[in-house]
Amino acid sequence: MFLRQIEPPVNEPVTLDEAKLHLKIDIDDDNELIEALITASRQAVEKYLRRSIMPQTWELVTDYDNGVVLPYPPVLEIVSVATNGHLIDPDKYHLIGENYLKISSFLYRNLVITYQAGYEEVPGGIKLGILMLIAHLYENRAGEPTEVKYNAQVLAGVGLPPTIISILYPYRVVSF
């Protein structure tokens, strides 16, 4: 299985004005930094949640057996499904739930699925988690947290403060 992002999001889930309001900043000196933190925070939250937050296009190359779970949901649209360079008729596949692609056929090899994923409207909890992460990163620009309360999580590869994790966790894609 091979996954790659073909088109990144055009917009961010949080505007510069929203971030500055949350940070209680009314000057423009740090605008570039804050914009970079918005993007970095969205990317970190997407990685933790295993979800696309803003609309973006993905390409998955896999072999088809009985169904395909598309990474980084929610899937907004299946752009195309092809095998060995030939497009499969859209009438032969459909999306079940937010990320399960069912194809009405047997076995395909070298299946290439192009799809758009992301929220049409970002849930409030995800937006709040991003704003809190922006504030955390802004206050800890040197890259080191001011407290060591969550070192176990950092060592475990989570890397987000516990409060942000508790806000984001209900949205996380959990693999079984």
Side-chain angles (χ1 to χ4, degrees), residues 14-27:
V14 172
T15 65
L16 177 62
D17 288 340
E18 289 171 322
K20 287 174 71 172
L21 181 64
H22 183 77
L23 294 168
K24 298 182 178 174
I25 296 173
D26 56 5
I27 58 173

Side-chain angles (χ1 to χ4, degrees), residues 1-3 60-63 68-69 71:
M1 182 166 80
F2 174 74
L3 177 70
L60 176 68
V61 179
T62 188
D63 289 339
V68 178
V69 176

Side-chain angles (χ1 to χ4, degrees), residues 153-170:
Q153 290 170 312
V154 172
L155 293 173
V158 175
L160 297 175
T163 305
I164 296 173
I165 288 173
S166 65
I167 289 169
L168 295 174
Y169 189 78

